[in-house]
Amino acid sequence: MNITIASPRSKKTICEVTVDPSSTVADLKKKFAQQKKVGVERQRFSFEHPTKGMVVLSNDKETLSNYGVTTNTTVLFKDLGMQISWTLVFLAEYAGPLFVYPIFYFFSRQIYGFETPKTFVQDVALICYSLHYIKRILETIFVHRFSKATMPITNLFKNCIYYWGCTSMVSYFVNHPLYTPPAALNQYIGFGLWAFGEIMNLVCHIQLRNLRPAGSNVRKIPRGLLFEFVSCPNYTVEILAWLGFSIMTQTLTSYLFTLLGAGQMYIWACGKHRNYKKEFTGKDGSPLYPKNRKIIIPFLL
């Protein structure tokens, strides 16, 4: 069958590609790469489905016919730009805080001009902050399975600026020689919330990993534990962990970092929740995704 490939903005035809009805999205990308010399990792295709609206051809192993692409379909092409490995981006953005945060802890005299003995909370905060990003790095290497191998290289700079910059902001005030620890109760409550959030975040990531066999793009409805209440509990408990860190350290910049992260994770969670509801539907269009499951806050939001 002949498929017309067009620009998403002007709808101007770029080229026509001939494929078999049983061809996959990967086959389409290879054909397009041969004609237009655009690497397959930079290609993103979508089309207007008669009933589902705009559909992105996100699974390279799925057949075009299963997506609903026919010989009369106009497929829209978007160039994703220069790409970089998801794993490399994650490792770079998470490694930075492991080096940045300790600078303010160990070099107080050079940074602030004087130093005082570190408090117990400052010692624990260093350990908690470091363990969080060590966990992130280990999860990137051993736990996470990415549906896409690459992302735009611009994300590397944006992500590193965010994580490294926020770490400097938090560490500067937590490790300041004039820092005053909060009450002991705040320290215990904050540390407890942090520990619970970190452990449950790891549990959620392992649950997500087990949904997708290695080397596949299989997607299933997440089940079990916190997934029965919200679509993205990994975000829920990560926000809880940073809230705990903020309560434990009681600094404005820690709360600000928590708020920034929560806002971004809420946006991601809304997108994932929307995609789950859109993707998991029966052949008759009936919803298969649990209708009472919230986005990120159990029973509320």
Side-chain angles (χ1 to χ4, degrees):
M1 58 184 180
N2 293 325
I3 296 177
T4 300
I5 298 179
S7 168
R9 291 186 179 180
S10 65
K11 302 297 188 294
K12 181 180 179 181
T13 299
I14 299 174
C15 67
E16 290 190 355
V17 176
T18 301
V19 294
D20 297 324
S22 60
S23 295
T24 63
V25 175
D27 295 329
L28 175 63
K29 289 183 176 182
K30 290 176 183 177
K31 292 272 189 179
F32 185 76
Q34 291 172 358
Q35 288 197 35
K36 292 301 177 180
K37 309 302 180 185
V38 179
V40 294
E41 72 280 355
R42 297 178 58 159
Q43 300 174 25
R44 178 182 182 270
F45 292 110
S46 61
F47 75 103
E48 189 70 33
H49 193 279
T51 58
K52 298 180 180 180
M54 189 59 68
V55 174
V56 177
L57 307 182
S58 57
N59 186 349
D60 285 355
K61 296 183 179 181
E62 189 68 80
T63 62
L64 297 173
S65 58
N66 283 348
Y67 271 115
V69 176
T70 68
T71 191
N72 298 319
T73 301
T74 296
V75 174
L76 304 178
F77 162 71
K78 180 178 180 180
D79 188 345
L80 298 176
M82 188 178 295
Q83 300 289 295
I84 188 172
S85 163
W86 274 79
T87 299
L88 182 58
V89 172
F90 276 23
L91 292 179
E93 66 188 39
Y94 297 152
L98 287 175
F99 293 99
V100 172
Y101 192 97
I103 290 175
F104 296 90
Y105 179 91
F106 289 108
F107 298 99
S108 293
R109 183 172 296 277
Q110 292 84 348
I111 295 172
Y112 306 104
F114 68 106
E115 64 180 336
T116 56
K118 290 292 187 290
T119 66
F120 177 72
V121 173
Q122 289 172 311
D123 295 337
V124 174
L126 171 67
I127 295 172
C128 290
Y129 207 95
S130 300
L131 284 177
H132 172 81
Y133 286 101
I134 290 172
K135 167 181 164 292
R136 284 281 192 94
I137 289 174
L138 293 176
E139 287 176 338
T140 299
I141 298 172
F142 299 109
V143 178
H144 292 323
R145 286 176 176 159
F146 303 108
S147 57
K148 295 288 185 180
T150 63
M151 67 167 72
I153 195 170
T154 53
N155 287 1
L156 173 64
F157 306 106
K158 290 190 299 183
N159 293 12
C160 286
I161 289 172
Y162 171 76
Y163 282 104
W164 298 22
C166 286
T167 295
S168 300
M169 176 182 71
V170 172
S171 186
Y172 179 87
F173 289 98
V174 172
N175 293 299
H176 199 285
L178 298 180
Y179 170 79
T180 302
L185 181 61
N186 291 59
Q187 298 177 32
Y188 296 140
I189 292 175
F191 178 77
L193 291 175
W194 176 86
F196 175 79
E198 292 291 332
I199 292 170
M200 290 307 300
N201 181 257
L202 173 60
V203 170
C204 291
H205 287 161
I206 292 174
Q207 287 179 283
L208 289 172
R209 169 191 168 88
N210 292 338
L211 288 176
R212 178 179 295 156
S216 76
N217 290 321
V218 172
R219 292 174 61 83
K220 301 177 183 177
I221 297 177
R223 299 283 187 182
L225 298 177
L226 298 179
F227 279 104
E228 298 300 327
F229 303 98
V230 292
S231 293
C232 299
N234 50 318
Y235 295 155
T236 306
V237 292
E238 179 158 349
I239 295 170
L240 184 66
W242 283 117
L243 179 61
F245 182 89
S246 301
I247 293 172
M248 180 179 70
T249 59
Q250 209 67 273
T251 56
L252 179 62
T253 50
S254 295
Y255 282 108
L256 178 59
F257 177 49
T258 301
L259 184 62
L260 289 172
Q264 180 60 74
M265 283 184 272
Y266 175 69
I267 293 172
W268 289 338
C270 287
K272 291 187 177 183
H273 184 75
R274 185 168 54 250
N275 289 339
Y276 280 146
K277 294 174 68 176
K278 185 176 180 180
E279 180 177 2
F280 296 112
T281 56
K283 294 183 178 180
D284 59 352
S286 59
L288 299 178
Y289 194 70
K291 63 179 182 179
N292 293 326
R293 190 176 294 186
K294 299 299 182 180
I295 299 172
I296 197 169
I297 301 178
F299 311 113
L300 295 176
L301 180 64

